[in-house]
Amino acid sequence: MTDWRAILCACWLGLAGLSSAQSPTEPTEPTAHLVTYGQGSEVWEWFGHNALWLQDPSKGLDHTFSFGYFNINEAGFYRRFIQGEMSYFGTAVRADREFGFYRQADRSIRVQTLNLSQTQFDQLHGLLVNAIEPYPRYYSYDYFLANCSTWLRDLLDDTLDGALSRQFGDMPGAKSFRAHTYAQTQHQPWAQLGLMTLLGPAADQPIQAWDEAFLPAVLADQIGQVRVAGEPLLVADQWLYQPSEPLEASMGRGLWRALFLGLLLGGLIVWGGARKGWGSRLVQSLAVIGLSITGLVLIGMWAFTAHTVVAHNPGLALVHPLWVGLLPGLSQRVGSAMWWVCLATSILGALGWVVSGIWPHQDVMAFIIPSVVALLWVTRPSAAPDRLAGPAQAGG
C-alpha cells in the first residue's frame, strides 16, 4: 500500500494493514463470486461490506472488486463530507490480501459462487474495469442509493440482462431505510439515537426489495433466490470465516433505554429547577442549549447540505433554536413569550407524531419528551421570580 492507506470504505471499510492469506479455491476456469463481509466494530464497518471476486487462471486474475472508497487526506474532504458532496471510487485488490484483512479484523467472510457463462464472466469483468478506471474514477456517493452494495447489484443486473431488477424491482421491501438503519446500529445506542434524530421522513417511505440491497447481507440473501434461464444463479454458498466474537446486539431494548435516559434527564431538570442559585441556572442552561443546538443541526443539514434523507425533518417541532429564549437571565417578557411558543410547538410535534405515526421515531420521542416537559415546567411563567416594577419607595 502507498498513499492510499488512509482510504476508508463508506459502506464502510479500510484496507490498511492487509495481511496475506491463501485463496480458498483455485479454479481451472474463469469463476465469479459475490463476497459478503460482516459488520465490524468501527463506525464505517457497521453496515458490512461486499465485493465481486473474479478468478481467471489463464490471465492471472485473482482480485476482488469493490466500491465505496475515499481518501480522507484529500484537501477539503471534511467540508464536502458534511455538505453531502461525497466523491467516492472503486478499486481492485488481491483476494488473498483482502481476506487476510478481514480475518485479522475478525469479520465474517461469505463467498457465493455464481453460475456465469464465459460471455457473462467477460462482460462482468469489463464492467468492473470500466467502473474503476482510470483510477481513481470518482462517483457521487449516497448512503442508501449509491453505495458499495448497490454498485455490485447494478453491475450483476446488467450482466444478467435485468434478472435481479425483474425479480426484486416490484417486490415490496420488508423494512424502510430507517428500520434497516435502526437494526444495523443496535450495538451503538447513542449513535443509533443520533441517526434516528437526523433522518427525515424520506427514510420512512416504503421501499422495494431492490432498494434493500443497499445492505450487503440483504444482497447476498437475494442472490440465493435468483434464477437465470430456469437455473439457480448460485453454484455454491460457503462461509470462509466466522468471527470468534460476534457483535452483541441489544435487540428490543432501544425504546426502554431511551425512555429511562429521557426520564433521568427530565428528573435532573426538575431537580435543578427546585434549587436556588447557580445550580438551577446551570441545569436549565444546559437543557436549553442542548435542544437549541440539536435544532440548529437539523436546520443546517436540511438547508445547507445535499443530504436529502435528512430534509423536511418534523423533529424541529420539538428541538429548535427558539428554546434559547428560555435561558436564565433574559427578561421576563422575552422568556414568557418564548415559553408559549415552545409549548405550542411541542404540543404540535407530539400530536403530529401520534396522529401520523411517522417520525419523530419512538426512541427519540421517549428520550426528548421528558426533558421538554420538565423544561417547560420549571420555566413556566407562574414559576418566574417576581420582579419589581420600579424602584422601592420608603414609607411615610
Side-chain angles (χ1 to χ4, degrees):
M1 303 291 287
T2 56
D3 293 338
W4 296 108
R5 292 180 68 90
I7 294 173
L8 302 177
C9 173
C11 217
W12 289 287
L13 162 72
L15 286 180
L18 296 180
S19 61
S20 60
Q22 289 298 112
S23 297
T25 61
E26 296 182 2
T28 58
E29 57 185 20
T31 307
H33 318 264
L34 174 65
V35 184
T36 305
Y37 306 108
Q39 288 180 284
S41 58
E42 301 295 336
V43 61
W44 56 84
E45 300 171 340
W46 291 351
F47 291 76
H49 186 58
N50 54 7
L52 282 168
W53 175 23
L54 301 188
Q55 296 177 288
D56 188 348
S58 65
K59 298 179 180 179
L61 177 63
D62 190 11
H63 291 72
T64 59
F65 295 78
S66 57
F67 298 84
Y69 295 89
F70 59 87
N71 184 2
I72 200 171
N73 294 323
E74 186 179 9
F77 168 79
Y78 291 104
R79 174 184 56 81
R80 291 192 298 273
F81 182 83
I82 292 173
Q83 293 175 338
E85 299 172 356
M86 299 175 288
S87 296
Y88 289 57
F89 57 92
T91 190
V93 178
R94 288 284 306 180
D96 55 354
R97 298 177 65 197
E98 181 155 312
F99 295 153
F101 166 78
Y102 282 99
R103 289 190 176 96
Q104 185 177 10
D106 201 27
R107 294 173 62 183
S108 63
I109 306 175
R110 180 183 182 183
V111 174
Q112 296 169 290
T113 304
L114 307 178
N115 182 18
L116 300 184
S117 66
Q118 179 68 58
T119 300
Q120 290 171 328
F121 179 91
D122 292 339
Q123 180 181 354
L124 180 59
H125 185 210
L127 290 172
L128 287 166
V129 170
N130 289 336
I132 68 174
E133 293 183 354
Y135 183 82
R137 186 166 189 168
Y138 290 98
Y139 66 91
S140 182
Y141 180 86
D142 185 279
Y143 294 111
F144 299 122
L145 304 178
N147 69 3
C148 57
S149 190
T150 62
W151 262 97
L152 303 190
R153 175 201 64 191
D154 294 347
L155 291 174
L156 284 172
D157 193 51
D158 289 343
T159 301
L160 300 171
D161 296 325
L164 276 70
S165 55
R166 283 194 300 271
Q167 182 164 345
F168 301 108
D170 296 325
M171 181 185 297
K175 297 178 181 179
S176 65
F177 285 133
R178 183 190 298 277
H180 278 299
T181 303
Y182 186 83
Q184 294 295 121
T185 54
Q186 288 285 357
H187 59 290
Q188 294 289 342
W190 286 110
Q192 182 187 63
L193 189 62
L195 287 171
M196 292 302 101
T197 303
L198 283 175
L199 290 176
D204 297 293
Q205 300 304 309
I207 60 176
Q208 306 303 311
W210 169 263
D211 303 309
E212 291 182 296
F214 84 96
L215 287 175
V218 172
L219 179 60
D221 291 340
Q222 291 181 354
I223 287 295
Q225 306 173 37
V226 175
R227 301 182 72 87
V228 179
E231 296 294 328
L233 177 60
L234 288 191
V235 174
D237 191 341
Q238 60 179 320
W239 293 90
L240 295 187
Y241 182 79
Q242 290 279 23
S244 57
E245 297 182 3
L247 289 179
E248 292 292 334
S250 54
M251 296 297 292
R253 301 177 191 170
L255 175 60
W256 297 110
R257 179 176 52 230
L259 180 60
F260 171 77
L261 293 174
L263 290 173
L264 185 64
L265 290 177
L268 182 62
I269 294 171
V270 172
W271 172 81
R275 297 174 61 85
K276 301 294 184 181
W278 69 270
S280 173
R281 293 193 296 272
L282 176 62
V283 173
Q284 181 179 333
S285 296
L286 290 176
V288 165
I289 291 172
L291 291 172
S292 299
I293 290 179
T294 304
L296 284 173
V297 170
L298 295 184
I299 292 174
M301 293 286 285
W302 175 0
F304 303 111
T305 77
H307 296 287
T308 57
V309 76
V310 304
H312 306 95
N313 200 319
L316 284 167
L318 291 171
V319 290
H320 48 72
L322 296 180
W323 283 105
V324 76
L326 301 186
L327 277 173
L330 295 180
S331 71
Q332 185 174 357
R333 178 177 297 178
V334 171
S336 178
M338 287 296 99
W339 186 89
W340 286 106
V341 171
C342 292
L343 174 65
T345 58
S346 300
I347 292 175
L348 180 64
L351 286 178
W353 176 68
V354 171
V355 172
S356 66
I358 61 171
W359 203 99
H361 188 267
Q362 60 180 11
D363 290 14
V364 179
M365 295 295 286
F367 179 73
I368 291 179
I369 283 183
S371 297
V372 167
V373 172
L375 188 57
L376 288 171
W377 172 257
V378 300
T379 59
R380 66 195 188 279
S382 62
D386 293 334
R387 303 177 190 270
L388 296 176
Q393 303 293 324

